Amino acid sequence: MADAEPRKESASCPMDFILRMLMGPWTTYILYNLKSHGPQRFGELKRRVAGISAKMLTERLRTLEGAGLLRRDYEATIPPKVTYSLTKRGHELDGVLNSLAEVGLRWETEDAAARSQRAAELKAAE
Amino acid sequence: MADAEPRKESASCPMDFILRMLMGPWTTYILYNLKSHGPQRFGELKRRVAGISAKMLTERLRTLEGAGLLRRDYEATIPPKVTYSLTKRGHELDGVLNSLAEVGLRWETEDAAARSQRAAELKAAE
DNA sequence: TCTCTTGGTTACGAATTGGTACCTACTGGT
DNA sequence: ACCAGTAGGTACCAATTCGTAACCAAGAGA
């Protein structure tokens, strides 16, 4: 049973790295917000995502920063001002997110249509 | 602190449902394999993903089946034969996965280029 | 008869995850 | 003087997750 090769097939899947990033619980909300509302401060982002804890947000932002998807601008004013914005690389995901949203929207529409059709059939069957 | 609206903004993000699906640890490997190698049996899939436990694979397959992304054909022969294949809806993700792979590949190339350039600069600096 | 096969299910247990509470340092408002 | 807010860091605690191992059915081959 024991597989000789540890799992080198991950190399054959370049999207794996990206998905591992997008996979985080709140990641898409964050990217979506930064994409649609532009650069934002920590508290602004936290308020907008609504439900995320500061710890999670920090951790996600650090991960995304480390991946080069967003930039962190720290101004050591009093009170401190930290602004997050998408990098060029971060914006390259816009296309992916868009096609994802497109498919999601299509499914939503299809499901709604199927639901209303079933409802109509149910009504006709009475 | 308490947010008035529970978090209805999820509604504004139709890709969220999809990402919640793709987010699973092995999901992309499974979809990728089914996409590139066609319909496969359980054991075949398990061997190909190499590292996944039967439990995980089962759970992922059930989830994907429930989402209508793949179909499960069960033949009650002895030994049983279960074949999994992508549905039409499952194939609609091909485009997303492709653009994802495209971006991933581009980054890989860019990173490799940046690495070799840095190496060259280091060499020149000596 | 004993074992191997396929495609699972279930129980157990360890590890990771993520939330809550509390801490910083500094200032502005009351 | 005290509380709120800004941008977190840290400790602790509960819940979830995921792997491992054991088990199942029923036929085929040794």
Side-chain angles (χ1 to χ4, degrees), chain A residues 32 97-98 100-108, chain B residues 9-19:
Chain A
Y32 181 77
L97 296 182
N98 282 343
L100 216 46
E102 191 197 318
V103 174
L105 226 47
R106 182 163 61 237
W107 290 359
E108 227 170 62
Chain B
E9 9 244 325
S10 10
S12 70
C13 191
M15 68 193 161
D16 186 61
F17 159 78
I18 294 184
L19 275 167

Side-chain angles (χ1 to χ4, degrees), chain A:
Chain A
M1 254 348 105
D3 39 319
E5 47 271 283
R7 76 178 64 179
K8 276 295 144 201
E9 8 244 326
S10 10
S12 70
C13 190
M15 68 194 160
D16 186 61
F17 159 77
I18 293 184
L19 275 166
R20 243 170 244 297
M21 193 81 41
L22 265 56
M23 258 157 55
W26 300 97
T27 317
T28 46
Y29 292 105
I30 295 167
L31 290 177
Y32 181 77
N33 270 297
L34 284 176
K35 176 169 105 85
S36 42
H37 298 282
Q40 278 164 83
R41 300 181 54 184
F42 184 88
E44 208 176 340
L45 211 46
K46 184 173 184 309
R47 241 168 283 123
R48 203 136 18 207
V49 172
I52 195 171
S53 68
K55 180 188 170 187
M56 246 289 99
L57 184 52
T58 303
E59 188 264 338
R60 291 282 90 199
L61 289 172
R62 290 292 137 82
T63 302
L64 292 169
E65 190 197 355
L69 297 184
L70 54 82
R71 184 176 26 253
R72 179 173 184 267
D73 297 302
Y74 177 76
E75 292 176 54
T77 55
I78 304 292
K81 185 173 175 181
V82 183
T83 308
Y84 294 92
S85 53
L86 289 176
T87 60
K88 195 166 127 283
R89 184 164 277 203
H91 276 299
E92 288 185 58
L93 282 179
D94 290 359
V96 176
L97 296 182
N98 282 343
S99 61
L100 216 46
E102 191 197 318
V103 174
L105 226 47
R106 182 163 61 237
W107 290 359
E108 227 170 62
T109 310
E110 285 173 9
D111 290 351
R115 261 196 307 278
S116 64
Q117 192 177 341
R118 262 200 307 281
E121 284 171 3
L122 235 88
K123 204 155 186 162
E126 286 180 15

